[in-house]
Amino acid sequence: MTLKTKTWWERGIIYQIYPLTFADSNGDGVGDLQGIIQRLDYLNDGNPNSDTSLGIDAIWLSPINKSPMFDNGYDVSDYREICPTFGTLEDFDELIREAHQRGIKVILDLVVNHTSDRHDWFVESRSSRDNPKADWYLWQEGYKDNPPNNWLSYFGGSGWTFCPERGQYYFHTFNANQPDLNWRNPDVREEVFDIIRFWLDRGVDGFRLDASSAYSKDKYFRDNPLKFASSDKNDYNNYHHLYEKNLPENHEIVREIRQVLDEYDDRLLVGETFIDNTLYDSIAFYGANNDELHLPFTFEFAFSPWYPGHLQREIERKELLTPQGAQPVYFWDNHDIPRHLSRWVDCSLCVDSMAIAMAAATLLLTVRGTPVLYYGQEIGMVDYDDIPPELSRDKAIAPSPSGEVPERRDGARTPMQWDDSPQAGFSFGKNPQPWLPVHPNYKEVNVAAQLRDPRSLLNFYRRLVALRRDSEALLWGRLRTLIHYPYEHLAYLRETDDEMVLVVINFSYEKPLILDIPIERQGWKLLISARDRRVNSYREETGTTIDIPEKLDAFEILVLQKV
């Protein structure tokens, strides 16, 4: 089949790598760029018929810029340098070359809502009120020995910190060592745009904008209003964040960043838009003329309960709100939230969690949109919730004023589980103490074991990826749901003028789904089925044929093609 031309992110699958815990090449216990290079063939070796490659199309790297690493890279001290933790600019250039040779695009995390307080810009800005960068950050006078207004930090407590050198307060959306840039200053804008060009000139294929809904701030620094009758333990949730998040000027900033990317061919702009936004607010970041983000990350789908009615509602909302000519984007996991198999633990107690993982994989890779996978998702990695406090690395989130400590994010960031050797092969057979402890289940849950097992979750993902790549209907066909408000099952069609694909997922763990739809198994071709873990690929790689089943057990899936 010859597929019509589309952008690579409309055709492709993005794979998020958390560099600190993906692969360690030098045995120091911390992931690095050379480790990623050595694992590229696992992600995509350039052979569409590979027996070992996952087959993804792009990697998104969490921050690798120079940083004191207080917030694990989300506190940048030099935007044009690689953090020595990960390697050098030469290592990065090699990563770009090696990735591109395999057909893998490279997306960088761009953290420009704020910098580290150790960035030279902030060191100069805080030194006096009349230096050249005095207005590069958000400085204000206090009010009667109190902060300038009631704006709070997303991580807890006041968003203002007093600086004795200037005798003023500076604002930080996140932690005190992450001062916010002043995007109203044209010099700040031009410097950020030059940084973007610096990386695009090195061959970067796109950026994910961190906290992209928080760039603009009210120029009058007005107080945020309290919510009526709200008494959330987290005081941040008791306010309407009208004046320090998602102002109209924010769209102007994102639009200008997009214009810089449009100076180059085929570059992608993704944005984290969920902070204090509704789905409608986030969708607006496509822009009035599809001239802002190509893919705005919204979290409603990922945060939805594992229930077909909720999931279908979020899919249909995206279908209705996504502008014509734009592409939705879907994900289950990322570095800031618990992994989906851990979030849906109640369901996991009812049935084999791998059945849930296969159902989730099917849904993610067959709805209309760009799928984003989080490292280890494809082998069923779960959160490690029992990391000893002394080994915790997530130190950016501060306790609330009441002393309550928020849930750390370390559990979803543990080392990739490559094999059953010491430290799960994360350090290529060496045995240092890794940056975070390896999940204890690595002996059973790892890449090597699953590659050997044709019934594994990893091989199921590989078949779904291959199916999606070769199906025009699954790449950009229309989506039509078949159940008005599903209670126990999801069923939908993906259609183009030339192809129709039917996807059915049984969410009931108490009773099977009887397939009495009037297809009578005539005129339909089985693409993928999971029957007692006997996975049949549409390419019939096993050399056997499985008939279309008459029923689906708990969390079983069925993908058919009209012939």
Side-chain angles (χ1 to χ4, degrees):
M1 179 186 301
T2 302
L3 301 180
K4 58 186 177 181
T5 302
K6 288 278 187 176
T7 59
W8 60 263
W9 57 86
E10 289 176 294
R11 301 189 305 268
I13 297 169
I14 300 171
Y15 186 96
Q16 183 190 357
I17 290 175
Y18 198 66
L20 288 162
T21 52
F22 188 68
D24 167 27
S25 70
N26 59 14
D28 64 358
V30 183
D32 48 47
L33 295 180
Q34 285 295 330
I36 296 171
I37 291 169
Q38 294 179 46
R39 295 295 189 180
L40 285 176
D41 280 345
Y42 164 73
L43 298 173
N44 191 336
D45 60 9
N47 177 8
N49 298 311
S50 171
D51 292 330
T52 57
S53 172
L54 182 58
I56 57 87
D57 303 275
I59 53 175
W60 152 32
L61 305 180
S62 289
I64 56 173
N65 296 114
K66 188 175 180 180
S67 166
M69 302 300 284
F70 181 85
D71 191 15
N72 305 330
Y74 286 93
D75 48 331
V76 176
S77 58
D78 190 332
Y79 288 99
R80 290 180 172 86
E81 289 291 340
I82 299 296
C83 187
T85 300
F86 303 120
T88 65
L89 274 172
E90 290 72 25
D91 292 327
F92 180 77
D93 291 339
E94 182 182 353
L95 172 61
I96 289 285
R97 288 194 302 272
E98 293 293 331
H100 286 174
Q101 285 176 9
R102 294 162 172 82
I104 300 174
K105 305 291 187 180
V106 179
I107 302 165
L108 292 187
D109 229 315
L110 186 64
V111 187
V112 289
N113 173 72
H114 53 271
T115 71
S116 167
D117 61 352
R118 300 186 191 179
H119 197 294
D120 288 346
W121 301 345
F122 187 73
V123 172
E124 182 174 351
S125 184
R126 75 184 300 168
S127 66
S128 69
R129 298 191 186 192
D130 58 1
N131 66 79
K133 290 185 171 56
D135 193 36
W136 278 45
Y137 294 84
L138 299 169
W139 296 97
Q140 286 291 296
E141 303 288 342
Y143 179 72
K144 295 182 178 180
D145 297 325
N146 291 312
N149 61 26
N150 66 359
W151 295 358
L152 297 176
S153 163
Y154 192 74
F155 282 169
S158 174
W160 295 96
T161 292
F162 185 72
C163 175
E165 294 97 320
R166 286 185 52 141
Q168 288 180 305
Y169 289 82
Y170 66 88
F171 180 69
H172 45 91
T173 296
F174 299 102
N175 204 277
N177 71 340
Q178 296 167 302
D180 280 28
L181 287 164
N182 177 15
W183 274 91
R184 293 185 182 277
N185 185 325
D187 292 337
V188 170
R189 293 196 186 201
E190 286 307 315
E191 178 63 21
V192 170
F193 299 159
D194 284 346
I195 288 166
I196 292 172
R197 293 186 183 99
F198 172 84
W199 292 106
L200 292 174
D201 288 341
R202 296 191 93 93
V204 168
D205 299 287
F207 297 95
R208 177 259 190 188
L209 301 179
D210 181 67
S212 60
S213 59
Y215 295 158
S216 58
K217 313 294 192 296
D218 179 49
K219 64 181 179 180
Y220 302 112
F221 294 93
R222 286 170 283 190
D223 280 344
N224 284 322
L226 274 166
K227 293 179 180 178
F228 179 71
S230 178
S231 58
D232 196 293
K233 288 183 179 180
N234 182 353
D235 200 32
Y236 184 91
N237 296 328
N238 293 324
Y239 289 86
H240 294 287
H241 295 275
L242 299 184
Y243 295 119
E244 91 287 26
K245 305 283 193 311
N246 198 31
L247 273 69
E249 295 93 329
N250 216 96
H251 292 276
E252 174 189 331
I253 296 168
V254 174
R255 193 157 48 246
E256 290 181 3
I257 293 174
R258 169 69 177 274
Q259 289 169 2
V260 176
L261 266 74
D262 286 347
E263 297 170 9
Y264 299 74
D265 292 332
D266 218 21
R267 308 300 170 97
L268 171 66
L269 191 62
V270 182
E272 181 187 34
T273 60
F274 81 100
I275 298 176
D276 301 303
N277 275 343
T278 64
L279 176 63
Y280 181 81
D281 294 327
S282 295
I283 291 292
F285 276 92
Y286 282 110
N289 299 300
N290 286 334
D291 55 358
E292 295 182 35
L293 299 175
H294 294 106
L295 301 175
F297 278 170
T298 63
F299 281 64
E300 287 79 5
F301 182 73
F303 287 164
S304 178
W306 185 236
Y307 173 70
H310 284 274
L311 293 166
Q312 180 168 300
R313 180 185 64 186
E314 297 307 329
I315 293 168
E316 290 179 336
R317 289 176 71 199
K318 274 200 176 186
E319 285 291 309
L320 288 171
L321 294 175
T322 301
Q324 186 175 1
Q327 174 90 340
V329 58
Y330 289 95
F331 62 93
W332 291 128
D333 301 339
N334 72 20
H335 61 289
D336 280 331
I337 61 178
R339 291 179 178 270
H340 68 281
L341 289 182
S342 295
R343 297 200 305 273
W344 299 327
V345 64
D346 290 341
C347 294
S348 300
L349 294 175
C350 299
V351 297
D352 182 353
S353 62
M354 287 302 101
I356 295 176
M358 288 182 177
T362 302
L363 181 57
L364 182 67
L365 292 170
T366 61
V367 293
R368 188 181 78 91
T370 300
V372 181
L373 308 183
Y374 183 50
Y375 80 101
Q377 173 181 332
E378 72 277 13
I379 60 172
M381 283 180 63
V382 294
D383 286 5
Y384 185 11
D385 294 327
D386 298 323
I387 296 175
E390 64 273 16
L391 298 180
S392 171
R393 296 287 185 169
D394 187 13
K395 304 185 186 303
I397 301 180
S400 67
S402 65
E404 182 180 359
V405 178
E407 183 178 346
R408 303 295 184 186
R409 297 167 292 183
D410 292 326
R413 300 174 175 183
T414 55
M416 179 66 174
Q417 295 166 205
W418 294 104
D419 55 41
D420 61 1
S421 66
Q423 307 305 341
F426 165 68
S427 290
F428 292 94
K430 299 175 183 178
N431 192 21
Q433 175 64 45
W435 186 76
L436 278 173
V438 176
H439 195 290
N441 72 0
Y442 78 92
K443 291 281 188 180
E444 296 77 34
V445 179
N446 62 71
V447 170
Q450 293 199 21
L451 282 175
R452 292 191 298 266
D453 180 2
R455 304 169 300 170
S456 68
L457 178 63
L458 174 56
N459 279 315
F460 188 71
Y461 263 96
R462 291 181 57 246
R463 293 182 175 104
L464 278 170
V465 169
L467 170 61
R468 182 182 183 276
R469 181 179 61 237
D470 290 350
S471 168
E472 183 171 313
L474 292 181
L475 281 176
W476 45 74
R478 300 175 297 275
L479 186 144
R480 177 157 56 101
T481 57
L482 301 180
I483 305 173
H484 177 62
Y485 189 82
Y487 173 62
E488 293 182 323
H489 321 113
L490 272 181
Y492 51 92
L493 292 170
R494 298 294 312 283
E495 302 170 278
T496 65
D497 293 341
D498 301 320
E499 184 183 9
M500 177 185 292
V501 173
L502 170 66
V503 180
V504 183
I505 304 174
N506 181 22
F507 281 73
S508 173
Y509 56 85
E510 294 181 327
K511 57 185 179 181
L513 169 62
I514 306 300
L515 295 175
D516 57 355
I517 51 178
I519 59 174
E520 297 179 355
R521 292 149 184 81
Q522 299 295 320
W524 290 89
K525 175 184 178 182
L526 179 66
L527 297 182
I528 289 183
S529 170
R531 296 291 297 167
D532 299 323
R533 300 282 195 85
R534 292 192 298 276
V535 180
N536 180 51
S537 165
Y538 74 106
R539 289 180 174 172
E540 297 181 354
E541 293 161 329
T542 62
T544 62
T545 300
I546 300 176
D547 292 333
I548 297 175
E550 295 182 356
K551 66 177 183 178
L552 295 182
D553 292 328
F555 297 103
E556 280 201 284
I557 66 95
L558 187 66
V559 183
L560 305 175
Q561 181 187 55
K562 185 72 173 176
V563 294

